[in-house]
Amino acid sequence: MTTGLEQALQAALAPRDLLTHPFYRAWSAGELRAEDLARYAEQYRFQVTALPELLRRARSLIRDADTEAELSRNLDDEEGRTGVAHALLWEAFGAAVGAAAEASPLPETRAAAESLAALVGEDEVQTARVADTKETGLKCYGVDSPAALRFFRLHGDLDVHHARGLLGSIERCLARGASLEAAKAAVERSARAQWTFLDGAERLRQARLAAA
């Protein structure tokens, strides 16, 4: 059933496919500037640092042993018990693109965080391929050091694994009588939250272009 489930969830995500967002299209086309990457890194830091607590909260509410174990593995990856903590990897990328050590969250960043707090995990259905695309795009900006790219390379691999775990968890919920429509609605809301986050990055980019 997993293949059919994945197809159903991907169809729900299609209207908010992150790679079609104007900011990621500009990223892939080589149209960003160093300032755009720096502001993006400053804002995405809020998502990276918030994720461990969201995973812990989700794990505390789960009654399915397999899903609890998957969330624990994800948390171990994020906090560095199975490698380097992902927040440290993100800081290495931020340093490479000139991100400030401190920044205030944009309204879009805050709104996305509020939405994602209620939907932990669903975004990994599409983040693996987004990570791969972002890594490829960064090379055209001269960001090619192993330290700067390690976050994206790691997530290109790990998010495939975590997405499979998420699909298995949803499949078990469906077997216990949960609604496929509810699952599709949840991943769509997650994608919408990530889209909102990117709206903030794109708003700053458009402001830079208008001021040029």
Side-chain angles (χ1 to χ4, degrees):
M1 182 178 178
T2 301
T3 300
L5 173 60
E6 185 172 6
Q7 290 174 345
L9 296 181
Q10 291 290 1
L13 289 169
R16 289 290 184 270
D17 183 337
L18 297 182
L19 293 180
T20 69
H21 190 282
F23 187 79
Y24 277 169
R25 288 207 309 267
W27 184 313
S28 297
E31 297 172 355
L32 301 185
R33 297 294 179 266
E35 177 183 344
D36 303 323
L37 290 171
R39 300 296 83 77
Y40 171 86
E42 292 162 4
Q43 294 301 309
Y44 197 73
R45 177 192 291 137
F46 291 105
Q47 290 202 23
V48 174
T49 57
L51 183 54
E53 181 56 33
L54 295 179
L55 289 172
R56 274 190 289 272
R57 188 188 311 168
R59 187 178 60 180
S60 72
L61 299 173
I62 289 296
R63 297 297 177 263
D64 174 71
D66 289 336
T67 300
E68 183 177 354
E70 178 60 35
L71 289 171
S72 292
R73 286 191 291 271
N74 197 337
L75 184 59
D76 287 344
D77 290 336
E78 289 292 331
E79 295 190 316
R81 284 181 289 279
T82 57
V84 181
H86 293 192
L88 294 178
L89 298 179
W90 188 255
E91 290 306 318
F93 166 67
V97 298
E102 295 185 7
S104 298
L106 296 173
E108 294 89 344
T109 300
R110 289 195 298 269
E114 291 171 0
S115 297
L116 290 172
L119 294 166
V120 174
E122 284 85 351
D123 57 304
E124 286 185 338
V125 173
Q126 62 174 328
T127 51
R129 65 193 180 90
V130 172
D132 285 340
T133 300
K134 285 192 287 190
E135 180 191 344
T136 301
L138 281 170
K139 294 176 182 177
C140 76
Y141 299 110
V143 181
D144 56 7
S145 73
L149 295 176
R150 190 174 177 187
F151 179 93
F152 300 100
R153 289 175 177 169
L154 186 63
H155 275 256
D157 294 331
L158 282 180
D159 287 343
V160 170
H161 171 76
H162 293 315
R164 290 296 174 191
L166 171 63
L167 287 170
S169 298
I170 295 174
E171 193 169 47
R172 289 190 296 275
C173 287
L174 295 178
R176 292 194 296 269
S179 164
L180 176 59
E181 291 306 312
K184 289 163 59 178
V187 297
E188 193 278 330
R189 288 196 301 272
S190 177
R192 192 185 311 137
Q194 293 287 10
W195 192 276
T196 296
F197 169 82
L198 290 173
D199 284 344
E202 178 64 9
R203 177 169 61 81
L204 294 184
R205 186 178 81 93
Q206 291 299 328
R208 175 186 61 77
L209 292 172

